[in-house]
Amino acid sequence: MTLGSDVSRLTTTAASAAAKGLSIVVPLYNEAAGLALLHERLIGLVKTLKARYGLTCEVVYVDDGSADNTLAIARSLAADALDVQVVSLSRNFGKEAALMAGLDHARRGAILFMDGDGQHPPSLVEKLVAHWIDDGYDVVYTAKAHRDNESFLRRQAVRGFYALINWGARQKIPEDAGDFRLLSPRAAAALRQLPERNRFFKGLSNWIGFRQIRVDYEPAPRAHGVTTFSPGRLIGLSIEGLTSFSVAPLRFASLLGVLLAISAFLFGLTILWEVWTTGKQVPGYPSLMIGMMTIGGVQLIMIGIVGEYIGKILSELKARPIYFVAEHNEKRADGEATASASERTAAE
């Protein structure tokens, strides 16, 4: 019994990449206003890739329980120059689940993940593909070139998040890296084999290793709507990422406990020294209450951190499916169309 996996047979070269093809996975949540325009831009992109590399492409739109007409518009998109899959989830499971659904349904070798809000420029995809085919990289990820348009507080919060999640990690997550990335066939196969249900996509795609390269870019402004990632939701996603991918919070709690114990010990020594040298008794009530409140607060923080990890363990033990597919439609560029029944589901 082996505990590893050999994906070397999926290694691609410039000559074999065209035969593998490319799947473009686009998770959607209330993107009706800009979906048709995005699809037109993808068609132009695919024609360029076909002419340059001979790549056969498909796009997999994953509707993550949208409340607007996103699904209806996705169904109506033409399979012009590329195959089109529309995967509709039974409810909103979150972006990580939508990315996994796209990964499961992709039928080509390499996979490109990009958002449906238009902020990930299709014009940059050609550069990502070139790094894969011409330069032999397995993971080509993008990152924000700068955060000058963000507040100082948010920039510091992002920097603190990456510092904490990478604390003591053997495979560090690049700062400002996003979900907009390309995976070679063997990298995509490796990512499919990771069994956990509490997923942190950018961390997992970095953890698998292989040859990786960073591409800096400036996200385009949203052409429609507003972002659904409020500060509260971003904090929640940060906690999810930390507890799903790193034990840094537990280490931080342990270090805080050690520092508190040392501080209490030193404080006790100062009290003994003052009593011994001056004979004066230290007033007890204020110092006692402050000490109790400090220790109690730290204990509650530690219990909360441990509780987050216990919740993750419970979720993994329940082994519930990450998502359910309510509808699955396919259109081939050659004119064929298929649709699955609403009871078709996916358990991983």
Side-chain angles (χ1 to χ4, degrees):
M1 175 181 174
T2 61
L3 298 180
S5 178
D6 186 353
V7 294
S8 59
R9 62 183 177 81
L10 297 175
T11 302
T12 53
T13 62
S16 64
K20 298 291 186 180
L22 175 69
S23 293
I24 304 173
V25 174
V26 184
L28 303 172
Y29 182 69
N30 295 340
E31 302 292 353
L35 182 54
L37 177 60
L38 174 64
H39 188 68
E40 290 180 7
R41 296 174 67 186
L42 290 178
I43 290 175
L45 165 68
V46 167
K47 290 179 178 178
T48 301
L49 295 177
K50 182 73 173 179
R52 181 174 177 181
Y53 297 106
L55 274 178
T56 302
C57 300
E58 70 166 351
V59 60
V60 183
Y61 291 115
V62 182
D63 178 47
D64 189 22
S66 296
D68 59 4
N69 292 327
T70 297
L71 178 57
I73 294 175
R75 290 196 199 106
S76 67
L77 297 175
D80 183 6
L82 78 170
D83 297 344
V84 178
Q85 291 192 61
V86 179
V87 179
S88 175
L89 305 187
S90 60
R91 64 170 176 84
N92 179 254
F93 286 91
K95 186 177 181 180
E96 297 292 333
L99 290 171
M100 191 63 199
L103 179 66
D104 288 340
H105 287 80
R107 293 185 284 108
R108 306 298 180 189
I111 300 179
L112 172 77
F113 298 92
M114 62 185 302
D115 288 351
D117 56 11
Q119 291 190 283
H120 293 164
S123 58
L124 185 61
V125 173
E126 190 174 353
K127 184 176 183 179
L128 306 186
V129 173
H131 279 305
W132 162 46
I133 296 179
D134 297 334
D135 303 330
Y137 286 97
D138 291 287
V139 179
V140 187
Y141 64 90
T142 63
K144 289 185 177 181
H146 61 81
R147 292 182 176 271
D148 296 342
N149 59 336
E150 298 180 2
S151 66
F152 173 79
L153 183 61
R154 178 161 180 168
R155 292 199 302 270
Q156 293 303 117
V158 170
R159 190 171 290 111
F161 168 78
Y162 281 102
L164 182 58
I165 200 171
N166 288 325
W167 182 28
R170 178 176 298 179
Q171 190 71 15
K172 300 185 183 301
I173 301 175
E175 187 171 340
D176 294 331
D179 294 329
F180 183 25
R181 62 184 62 209
L182 183 146
L183 303 179
S184 72
R186 64 177 180 176
L191 191 61
R192 286 189 179 101
Q193 296 182 42
L194 302 182
E196 57 258 49
R197 284 160 171 76
N198 296 283
R199 306 180 70 84
F200 183 51
F201 177 75
K202 66 182 68 175
L204 294 176
S205 59
N206 185 71
W207 180 87
I208 60 176
F210 302 108
R211 294 189 65 202
Q212 305 198 9
I213 187 172
R214 170 175 174 149
V215 176
D216 289 333
Y217 81 110
E218 293 188 19
R222 289 183 66 96
H224 62 277
V226 294
T227 180
T228 58
F229 290 98
S230 62
R233 188 174 180 186
L234 287 174
I235 293 174
L237 288 175
S238 299
I239 294 174
E240 283 287 325
L242 283 170
T243 55
S244 297
F245 193 76
S246 172
V247 295
L250 291 175
R251 292 175 178 172
F252 177 78
S254 299
L255 179 60
L256 184 60
V258 171
L259 292 176
L260 183 63
I262 293 174
S263 299
F265 177 73
L266 294 177
F267 182 62
L269 289 180
T270 60
I271 293 176
L272 289 175
W273 176 258
E274 186 172 351
V275 173
W276 184 53
T277 56
T278 65
K280 295 180 180 179
Q281 298 292 332
V282 178
Y285 183 75
S287 58
L288 179 62
M289 290 304 298
I290 292 174
M292 290 180 61
M293 292 175 66
T294 302
I295 294 174
V298 171
Q299 287 178 335
L300 289 175
I301 292 173
M302 292 182 177
I303 291 173
I305 293 174
V306 173
E308 287 285 342
Y309 283 93
I310 293 175
K312 292 292 186 298
I313 295 172
L314 178 62
S315 177
E316 294 291 335
L317 289 176
K318 287 180 178 178
R320 291 175 179 171
I322 296 176
Y323 62 85
F324 287 96
V325 175
E327 180 181 330
H328 181 202
N329 299 291
E330 298 181 48
K331 293 180 183 178
R332 303 289 178 84
D334 55 15
E336 295 183 13
T338 61
S340 69
S342 60
E343 64 268 14
R344 178 172 177 171
T345 61
E348 299 179 357

